[in-house]
Amino acid sequence: MSLRNSVNRPPTPDAVEDQEKEPTLQEIINIKMIESGEKEKLMELLRERLVECGWKDEMKALCRAYIKKKGTNNVTVDDLVHVITPKGRASIPDSIKTELLLRIRAFLASAAL
Amino acid sequence: MYTNPKPCKHLADYKLRHGLSGYNLLQEQIRTTPSGKSSVKNHQTEIPRCCFCNGYQKRLYLCLICSSISCSSHTLLHSQCENGHDIAVDIERSELYCVLCCDQVYDPDFDKIVMLKHLMDLPRSGNGVDVSAGRRSSKRRRLCSALELDLKKTKQLVSMRDLRAKSCYPLGLRGLNNLGSTCFMNSVLQALLHAPPFRNYFLTGQRNHEVCRKRSSDRLCLLCDIYVFFSAVFSGDRTPYSPAQLLYSWWQHSANLASYEQQDAHEFFISVLDGIHENGVKARNTGECHCVAHRVFSGQLRSDVTCMSCGYTSTTYDPFMDISLNLDTGNCPSTDLANKSLKPSDNTYVSTLLGCLDLFTKPEKLGSDQKFFCENCQERQDSVKQMSIKRLPLVLCLHIKRFEHFPVRRMSRKIDRYMQFPFCLDMNPYLSSSVVRNRFGNRMFAFEGDELDTSTEFEIFAVVTHSGTLDSGHYVTYLHLKDQWYKCDDAWITAVEEEVVRASQCYMLFYAQKMLYYKANEDLVCQPVSPRADPFLPIAGCC
């Protein structure tokens, strides 16, 4: 490599795209919730509600059915996550969504965001 | 069945090269919540983000070698950039993941390290987990005594065949006359007659009634009367028998239940076992009673109460002679009428025995009026209680609670709901080792010295059913002998198809450990069928 060429070389592009854009509102809320410990509390609450209403059992049954269909050795955790996630998201009871939304709103009000 | 799955070759490679060093470095960062969930948390409360896309919302994995974090979309990319960086940890769950297999992998060494950290974090060892190896010697002793009851002089059974036996029905099938609403007693007696180790004890002369001190002084002895009863039923005589002496003897013991009114079969069962215990060999100070009732039917329950604030768990053990189960109805406790139910309609939900057992071992949040005093927090806290079976008996009696009592309204009612039950039952998921293990995520760690040498498989041999109402009902027992089901309705015994049994309304289910059940069935000798005998005619009155 001669010195002449290096002088005219265009600037090296970044290997990794720097995504330090302005943080979105969602990100700010998320950070605040994690820092205050509220997120952990809400996660625990969500887990409790999903078990109570039988959602977890239903997801387990769906997983078992899928594994049975494909064969135990032909399924990975990633497969299951991909298959079950859309069904899981779709079957969350409205009451649980409402409850969590209210809690988040209350948090936002108290954190003066 | 918890056998450790073989590691994938990537995990095996990693272990060869790095041993436990990666796990040990990670240990410091693991935190476990009171509910048992372990996560990897850095000291800074920074949100973990994927080093490729800065995302934080997918599953995140921490590389065990260089600690860089990737989301599920970019783990493969990381492995391609850095050669050999194939094993990672799911940050939220503290579970191992192989990037190249795209799948969860298991390593008992890893789980041990996670659990050790959890133990170290708790102020005392009250977390419901006992890391020490189980006491194997006591288990082996129990198994040996079970075999003892079984193998001792089983040839004696053959010599008791009476020439009056005409058909090829197995020994020990004999109708019992109803002495005045005593079907509650007859039904339970039929089940006891065929509980393998119980039956063998009374038939092989281990109960030597000749030298019974009580009888020689003309007092009643329940054990002797049971011995006489067994001899009579297994004599080969097929005419219906009247267990009057036994009934009288039992009345003496349970004076409060002595009447000609219909009693509850389950109450009778408990009271008979209690009578046997009282009359039998006095327990030494070792704590384990050696009377035949305890040796056959007793097991141990474990109860864990966990503080929801700090995770401290208080564990107690209690003996049991039977387990009473509530019917599982599939109803969710959170009643929200506006909420669309996940099950199509409550009416189509079928109760099953496994469902009832699941309900029995489910973690139950204790009400706010039942706040548990936490030793660690030093105040009353909301807690969660969970039951499990520490030790299984040789014969498992499961009682379905069908009689509901409302003390406030002063009324009782019977629950007629049908419950499906299996003929073969594996109790493994309800053992303490399984239940406690499941509390801490997907771990390959051996808890409480897993009961690997005790069988958890049971076979059904008797079903006590109830039909009718609380006040006027009738008990009938179905016996499963040598692959054939028999209906025992007081004095009438008929062979029936298994569908009849499956469709019946069960009240008490009797299961024996598989090995004992098959051994016992071998001992039941049959005579060849005489040409006149019709297998579908009732035995009562066929002589």
Side-chain angles (χ1 to χ4, degrees), chain A residues 16 19-20 26-27 30-31 34 40 44 47-48 52-55 58 75-78 81 91 93 95, chain B residues 33 35 37 41 47 49 53-54 56-57 59 92 97 101-104 332-334 336 339 342 365:
Chain A
V16 176
Q19 298 194 344
E20 284 301 334
Q26 195 182 25
E27 285 185 2
N30 189 50
I31 292 169
I34 294 176
E40 190 57 48
E44 281 292 329
R47 275 185 209 111
E48 204 183 300
E52 267 173 15
C53 75
W55 180 92
E58 191 160 291
V75 179
T76 66
V77 168
D78 282 8
V81 170
S91 62
S95 62
Chain B
T33 66
S35 59
K37 190 167 182 205
K41 288 203 162 79
I47 307 162
R49 286 173 180 274
C53 65
N54 242 7
Y56 58 92
Q57 287 173 320
R59 286 196 184 202
E92 210 187 309
Y97 179 81
C101 295
C102 299
D103 199 6
Q104 187 160 12
C332 317
S334 58
D336 184 356
N339 177 25
L342 287 176
K365 207 163 136 187

Side-chain angles (χ1 to χ4, degrees), chain B residues 326-344:
Chain B
N326 286 304
L327 277 165
D328 72 318
T329 51
N331 284 327
C332 317
S334 58
T335 45
D336 184 356
L337 295 166
N339 177 25
K340 156 170 61 96
S341 171
L342 287 176
K343 312 256 188 287

Side-chain angles (χ1 to χ4, degrees), chain B residues 435-454:
Chain B
V435 167
V436 173
R437 181 205 304 271
N438 283 334
R439 247 184 239 157
F440 299 100
N442 294 321
R443 303 285 159 215
M444 286 294 124
F445 188 60
F447 283 87
E448 308 281 330
D450 276 325
E451 321 263 341
L452 294 166
D453 50 353
T454 334

Side-chain angles (χ1 to χ4, degrees), chain B residues 387-447:
Chain B
M387 303 293 297
S388 56
I389 301 176
K390 172 76 178 119
R391 196 187 65 210
L392 288 164
L394 299 179
V395 175
L396 181 63
C397 171
L398 298 172
H399 165 234
I400 312 301
K401 288 154 101 172
R402 286 190 179 280
F403 300 114
E404 248 187 318
H405 302 286
F406 304 95
V408 178
R409 278 185 267 170
R410 302 255 235 108
M411 65 164 248
S412 309
R413 71 174 181 117
K414 184 189 169 202
I415 307 171
D416 274 312
R417 192 186 179 101
Y418 171 71
M419 191 196 83
Q420 193 196 70
F421 57 94
F423 289 173
C424 304
L425 177 63
D426 187 353
M427 290 296 287
N428 194 26
Y430 313 105
L431 289 181
S432 299
S433 49
S434 306
V435 167
V436 173
R437 181 205 304 271
N438 283 334
R439 247 184 239 157
F440 299 100
N442 294 321
R443 303 285 159 215
M444 286 294 124
F445 188 60
F447 283 87

Side-chain angles (χ1 to χ4, degrees), chain B residues 1-8 11 15 104-112 437 442-447 450 452:
Chain B
M1 286 299 199
Y2 285 102
T3 48
N4 293 339
K6 287 207 178 64
C8 68
L11 179 61
K15 284 295 285 291
Q104 187 160 12
V105 287
Y106 300 93
D107 185 355
D109 293 330
F110 178 76
D111 287 332
K112 197 166 173 183
R437 181 205 304 271
N442 294 321
R443 303 285 159 215
M444 286 294 124
F445 188 60
F447 283 87
D450 276 325
L452 294 166

